[in-house]
Amino acid sequence: MDNRPIGVFDSGLGGLSAVRSLRRILPGEQLIYFGDTSRVPYGGRSRETILKYARQDVRFLRSFDLKAILIACGTVSTTSLEMLREENDLPMVGVVEPTCRRAVEVTRRGRVGLIATHASVRSGVYETTIGALDKKVEVVARACPLFVPLVENGRFRPGDVVIDTVAREYLEPMRESGIDTLILGCTHYPLLSDVIRGVMGDGVELISAGEESAFELKRTLKARGLLRDCQQGEATYYVSDRVDDFEQIASWFLQEDLHHEANRIDIDRY
């Protein structure tokens, strides 16, 4: 048994969808969440800048006595995870490997779609990871840069003409390509599940990066004897920009009424 908390971070508040999964899959764990809301999104940044930001995020979280970190950011997972693992002596789980394994398991025709940020798509990590699991599986990737800012501004509900229009532009070519599985390669995207299904149809299986990484973290902690023996854990939230409206936005991702304010920190100190 290990009562130390788990750190979770993302470029913004999308990683709270992973927190939601963690609270369901590992309900007894203490969670410390950091959302880098002053610099969201990471997806259009250079690889060097993303690594710089990720190192700062990790240094902040490691100011607490953590037992593991879940990187709930697809961009960091695809560009910086291996370097962060080399630099830190605690378990780190990203969203790519577990998500790719699940996609390979469920695809029926061997055609998997990926939607993610520009940086994640450019990295080619999903294609490489899926190819190592099954060379016969083809990946059709598409960057969707407008999804993150739209979600963070509450434009994620079906019937919203803005998100519906953007989703059709991004997703109709993928639907026409014949994919049967679609990886939501950013933890903001689960809020768009209904919008995405409206374009893709019920025959396409959606794979949530946040949910699969939460299952992976549970397996990792169990294998290392690091699980916490408790019925109910708590979560503490930190952001790098204004805390105004945090409760409302966080409630969207957590899908519950939240009555905890976030704490603002100066991420440039780390």
Side-chain angles (χ1 to χ4, degrees):
M1 182 177 72
D2 192 320
N3 289 324
R4 291 178 297 167
I6 296 165
V8 184
F9 77 89
D10 185 26
S11 61
L13 298 182
L16 291 171
S17 63
V19 169
R20 178 173 180 264
S21 295
L22 284 171
R23 291 175 68 174
R24 175 171 53 86
I25 295 164
L26 291 168
E29 298 293 341
Q30 296 289 110
L31 305 177
I32 298 173
Y33 181 83
F34 172 63
D36 194 3
T37 50
S38 67
R39 304 186 294 200
V40 65
Y42 285 5
R45 314 274 186 172
S46 69
R47 196 179 189 97
E48 294 75 20
T49 298
I50 294 165
L51 179 58
K52 172 188 172 182
Y53 290 175
R55 282 170 167 158
Q56 290 178 303
D57 300 344
V58 169
R59 282 196 290 269
F60 165 67
L61 286 175
R62 295 213 65 179
S63 66
F64 302 89
D65 183 20
L66 302 179
K67 62 182 175 183
I69 290 179
L70 172 59
I71 300 174
C73 177
T75 298
V76 173
S77 295
T78 53
T79 62
S80 308
L81 177 58
E82 292 309 313
M83 182 67 72
L84 294 174
R85 281 175 169 166
E86 290 176 7
E87 295 172 351
N88 292 273
D89 58 350
L90 79 171
M92 284 193 173
V93 172
V95 300
V96 176
E97 296 167 13
T99 305
C100 289
R101 283 200 301 270
R102 181 62 179 162
V104 169
E105 288 173 3
V106 303
T107 182
R108 304 180 304 279
R109 299 192 298 271
R111 290 185 63 80
V112 172
L114 163 70
I115 53 175
T117 66
H118 275 305
S120 291
V121 171
R122 282 196 303 265
S123 74
V125 171
Y126 280 93
E127 291 91 333
T128 300
T129 304
I130 287 176
L133 294 167
D134 188 339
K135 294 180 180 179
K136 297 179 182 178
V137 176
E138 181 181 355
V139 179
V140 179
R142 180 72 186 265
C144 302
L146 292 178
F147 276 175
V148 169
L150 284 172
V151 167
E152 296 240 342
N153 283 279
R155 311 300 292 266
F156 58 84
R157 296 176 180 87
D160 182 313
V161 65
V162 175
I163 191 59
D164 284 346
T165 300
V166 171
R168 284 195 301 272
E169 181 176 338
Y170 285 154
L171 299 175
E172 283 180 352
M174 303 197 77
R175 184 191 64 209
E176 294 168 0
S177 73
I179 63 170
D180 62 20
T181 304
L182 180 62
I183 293 173
L184 308 184
C186 174
T187 47
H188 284 73
Y189 295 177
L191 262 71
L192 295 169
S193 293
D194 291 340
V195 172
I196 293 168
R197 285 194 185 95
V199 178
M200 301 303 298
D202 294 334
V204 175
E205 183 84 15
L206 304 185
I207 308 295
S208 167
E211 183 174 48
E212 297 305 323
S213 60
F215 279 119
E216 178 72 6
L217 181 60
K218 181 178 181 178
R219 289 189 288 267
T220 299
L221 296 180
K222 185 176 181 180
R224 299 185 183 212
L226 297 177
L227 290 172
R228 183 171 185 251
D229 185 16
C230 183
Q231 292 298 313
Q232 186 62 49
E234 298 293 333
T236 306
Y237 304 98
Y238 295 86
V239 294
S240 58
D241 204 353
R242 298 168 54 222
V243 298
D244 306 25
D245 302 323
F246 171 80
E247 290 183 7
Q248 177 184 354
I249 298 172
S251 296
W252 298 339
F253 289 99
L254 296 171
Q255 296 185 19
E256 64 180 68
D257 289 335
L258 184 71
H259 302 291
H260 299 289
E261 292 186 358
N263 305 283
R264 182 179 181 181
I265 61 106
D266 180 4
I267 192 61
D268 288 324
R269 293 176 49 206
Y270 296 89

mmCIF file of all heavy atoms in Angstrom, residues 108-127:
data_model
loop_
_atom_site.group_PDB
_atom_site.id
_atom_site.type_symbol
_atom_site.label_atom_id
_atom_site.label_comp_id
_atom_site.label_asym_id
_atom_site.label_seq_id
_atom_site.Cartn_x
_atom_site.Cartn_y
_atom_site.Cartn_z
ATOM 1 N N ARG A 108 -12.082 -3.896 -36.636
ATOM 2 C CA ARG A 108 -12.594 -5.075 -37.335
ATOM 3 C C ARG A 108 -11.982 -5.205 -38.731
ATOM 4 O O ARG A 108 -11.783 -6.310 -39.221
ATOM 5 C CB ARG A 108 -14.121 -4.995 -37.448
ATOM 6 C CG ARG A 108 -14.827 -4.838 -36.101
ATOM 7 C CD ARG A 108 -16.337 -4.755 -36.264
ATOM 8 N NE ARG A 108 -16.759 -3.673 -37.157
ATOM 9 C CZ ARG A 108 -16.871 -2.386 -36.797
ATOM 10 N NH1 ARG A 108 -16.566 -2.012 -35.557
ATOM 11 N NH2 ARG A 108 -17.278 -1.481 -37.675
ATOM 12 N N ARG A 109 -11.727 -4.088 -39.360
ATOM 13 C CA ARG A 109 -11.228 -4.106 -40.736
ATOM 14 C C ARG A 109 -9.785 -3.643 -40.855
ATOM 15 O O ARG A 109 -9.263 -3.517 -41.962
ATOM 16 C CB ARG A 109 -12.122 -3.223 -41.620
ATOM 17 C CG ARG A 109 -13.568 -3.685 -41.693
ATOM 18 C CD ARG A 109 -14.336 -2.976 -42.799
ATOM 19 N NE ARG A 109 -14.404 -1.532 -42.590
ATOM 20 C CZ ARG A 109 -15.356 -0.912 -41.898
ATOM 21 N NH1 ARG A 109 -16.311 -1.628 -41.330
ATOM 22 N NH2 ARG A 109 -15.363 0.398 -41.780
ATOM 23 N N GLY A 110 -9.152 -3.353 -39.736
ATOM 24 C CA GLY A 110 -7.760 -2.934 -39.773
ATOM 25 C C GLY A 110 -7.561 -1.524 -40.277
ATOM 26 O O GLY A 110 -6.499 -1.192 -40.821
ATOM 27 N N ARG A 111 -8.580 -0.673 -40.087
ATOM 28 C CA ARG A 111 -8.470 0.734 -40.489
ATOM 29 C C ARG A 111 -8.829 1.598 -39.289
ATOM 30 O O ARG A 111 -9.996 1.670 -38.876
ATOM 31 C CB ARG A 111 -9.385 1.046 -41.681
ATOM 32 C CG ARG A 111 -8.903 0.393 -42.973
ATOM 33 C CD ARG A 111 -9.761 0.817 -44.165
ATOM 34 N NE ARG A 111 -9.694 2.249 -44.447
ATOM 35 C CZ ARG A 111 -8.705 2.847 -45.101
ATOM 36 N NH1 ARG A 111 -7.670 2.132 -45.532
ATOM 37 N NH2 ARG A 111 -8.733 4.143 -45.349
ATOM 38 N N VAL A 112 -7.816 2.262 -38.737
ATOM 39 C CA VAL A 112 -7.963 3.041 -37.509
ATOM 40 C C VAL A 112 -7.742 4.514 -37.822
ATOM 41 O O VAL A 112 -6.766 4.878 -38.478
ATOM 42 C CB VAL A 112 -6.957 2.572 -36.443
ATOM 43 C CG1 VAL A 112 -6.971 3.510 -35.229
ATOM 44 C CG2 VAL A 112 -7.265 1.153 -36.011
ATOM 45 N N GLY A 113 -8.636 5.359 -37.358
ATOM 46 C CA GLY A 113 -8.475 6.796 -37.501
ATOM 47 C C GLY A 113 -7.867 7.394 -36.249
ATOM 48 O O GLY A 113 -8.010 6.864 -35.146
ATOM 49 N N LEU A 114 -7.186 8.496 -36.412
ATOM 50 C CA LEU A 114 -6.603 9.248 -35.293
ATOM 51 C C LEU A 114 -6.918 10.713 -35.484
ATOM 52 O O LEU A 114 -6.626 11.284 -36.545
ATOM 53 C CB LEU A 114 -5.085 9.051 -35.239
ATOM 54 C CG LEU A 114 -4.315 10.078 -34.390
ATOM 55 C CD1 LEU A 114 -4.606 9.875 -32.900
ATOM 56 C CD2 LEU A 114 -2.815 10.008 -34.661
ATOM 57 N N ILE A 115 -7.512 11.338 -34.466
ATOM 58 C CA ILE A 115 -7.621 12.795 -34.447
ATOM 59 C C ILE A 115 -6.844 13.294 -33.241
ATOM 60 O O ILE A 115 -6.935 12.745 -32.148
ATOM 61 C CB ILE A 115 -9.084 13.277 -34.422
ATOM 62 C CG1 ILE A 115 -9.888 12.633 -33.288
ATOM 63 C CG2 ILE A 115 -9.749 13.018 -35.764
ATOM 64 C CD1 ILE A 115 -11.301 13.186 -33.164
ATOM 65 N N ALA A 116 -6.058 14.346 -33.451
ATOM 66 C CA ALA A 116 -5.163 14.832 -32.401
ATOM 67 C C ALA A 116 -4.688 16.228 -32.781
ATOM 68 O O ALA A 116 -5.159 16.819 -33.750
ATOM 69 C CB ALA A 116 -3.984 13.874 -32.227
ATOM 70 N N THR A 117 -3.748 16.758 -32.007
ATOM 71 C CA THR A 117 -3.168 18.066 -32.319
ATOM 72 C C THR A 117 -2.165 17.938 -33.461
ATOM 73 O O THR A 117 -1.735 16.833 -33.823
ATOM 74 C CB THR A 117 -2.450 18.639 -31.091
ATOM 75 O OG1 THR A 117 -1.320 17.808 -30.776
ATOM 76 C CG2 THR A 117 -3.388 18.712 -29.886
ATOM 77 N N HIS A 118 -1.759 19.081 -34.002
ATOM 78 C CA HIS A 118 -0.746 19.070 -35.064
ATOM 79 C C HIS A 118 0.529 18.367 -34.587
ATOM 80 O O HIS A 118 1.124 17.568 -35.325
ATOM 81 C CB HIS A 118 -0.409 20.502 -35.491
ATOM 82 C CG HIS A 118 -1.332 21.065 -36.520
ATOM 83 N ND1 HIS A 118 -1.572 20.433 -37.725
ATOM 84 C CD2 HIS A 118 -2.072 22.213 -36.527
ATOM 85 C CE1 HIS A 118 -2.414 21.168 -38.441
ATOM 86 N NE2 HIS A 118 -2.736 22.246 -37.738
ATOM 87 N N ALA A 119 0.981 18.675 -33.371
ATOM 88 C CA ALA A 119 2.232 18.104 -32.881
ATOM 89 C C ALA A 119 2.138 16.589 -32.763
ATOM 90 O O ALA A 119 3.079 15.863 -33.108
ATOM 91 C CB ALA A 119 2.604 18.714 -31.528
ATOM 92 N N SER A 120 1.016 16.081 -32.282
ATOM 93 C CA SER A 120 0.850 14.637 -32.140
ATOM 94 C C SER A 120 0.834 13.951 -33.499
ATOM 95 O O SER A 120 1.456 12.905 -33.688
ATOM 96 C CB SER A 120 -0.441 14.323 -31.371
ATOM 97 O OG SER A 120 -0.345 14.719 -30.031
ATOM 98 N N VAL A 121 0.128 14.546 -34.453
ATOM 99 C CA VAL A 121 0.056 13.949 -35.790
ATOM 100 C C VAL A 121 1.423 13.992 -36.456
ATOM 101 O O VAL A 121 1.872 13.001 -37.062
ATOM 102 C CB VAL A 121 -1.009 14.665 -36.644
ATOM 103 C CG1 VAL A 121 -0.936 14.202 -38.095
ATOM 104 C CG2 VAL A 121 -2.402 14.401 -36.073
ATOM 105 N N ARG A 122 2.122 15.125 -36.346
ATOM 106 C CA ARG A 122 3.460 15.241 -36.960
ATOM 107 C C ARG A 122 4.441 14.235 -36.402
ATOM 108 O O ARG A 122 5.332 13.754 -37.102
ATOM 109 C CB ARG A 122 4.021 16.651 -36.752
ATOM 110 C CG ARG A 122 3.482 17.723 -37.659
ATOM 111 C CD ARG A 122 4.371 18.952 -37.637
ATOM 112 N NE ARG A 122 4.532 19.474 -36.291
ATOM 113 C CZ ARG A 122 3.801 20.450 -35.767
ATOM 114 N NH1 ARG A 122 2.836 21.003 -36.488
ATOM 115 N NH2 ARG A 122 4.012 20.892 -34.540
ATOM 116 N N SER A 123 4.301 13.890 -35.130
ATOM 117 C CA SER A 123 5.263 12.989 -34.491
ATOM 118 C C SER A 123 5.274 11.594 -35.102
ATOM 119 O O SER A 123 6.295 10.908 -35.079
ATOM 120 C CB SER A 123 4.968 12.883 -32.989
ATOM 121 O OG SER A 123 3.812 12.093 -32.752
ATOM 122 N N GLY A 124 4.133 11.154 -35.630
ATOM 123 C CA GLY A 124 4.039 9.801 -36.186
ATOM 124 C C GLY A 124 4.085 8.694 -35.154
ATOM 125 O O GLY A 124 4.175 7.515 -35.501
ATOM 126 N N VAL A 125 3.986 9.049 -33.861
ATOM 127 C CA VAL A 125 4.140 8.058 -32.804
ATOM 128 C C VAL A 125 2.994 7.043 -32.804
ATOM 129 O O VAL A 125 3.213 5.851 -32.571
ATOM 130 C CB VAL A 125 4.256 8.745 -31.426
ATOM 131 C CG1 VAL A 125 4.189 7.732 -30.296
ATOM 132 C CG2 VAL A 125 5.557 9.534 -31.352
ATOM 133 N N TYR A 126 1.790 7.502 -33.080
ATOM 134 C CA TYR A 126 0.669 6.555 -33.104
ATOM 135 C C TYR A 126 0.857 5.509 -34.205
ATOM 136 O O TYR A 126 0.641 4.315 -33.992
ATOM 137 C CB TYR A 126 -0.651 7.294 -33.304
ATOM 138 C CG TYR A 126 -1.193 7.927 -32.047
ATOM 139 C CD1 TYR A 126 -0.898 9.254 -31.736
ATOM 140 C CD2 TYR A 126 -1.999 7.213 -31.172
ATOM 141 C CE1 TYR A 126 -1.402 9.855 -30.586
ATOM 142 C CE2 TYR A 126 -2.497 7.801 -30.019
ATOM 143 C CZ TYR A 126 -2.204 9.120 -29.730
ATOM 144 O OH TYR A 126 -2.695 9.700 -28.583
ATOM 145 N N GLU A 127 1.254 5.955 -35.395
ATOM 146 C CA GLU A 127 1.479 5.014 -36.487
ATOM 147 C C GLU A 127 2.583 4.020 -36.147
ATOM 148 O O GLU A 127 2.456 2.816 -36.410
ATOM 149 C CB GLU A 127 1.845 5.769 -37.767
ATOM 150 C CG GLU A 127 0.701 6.571 -38.369
ATOM 151 C CD GLU A 127 0.640 8.000 -37.865
ATOM 152 O OE1 GLU A 127 1.105 8.271 -36.736
ATOM 153 O OE2 GLU A 127 0.107 8.850 -38.598
#
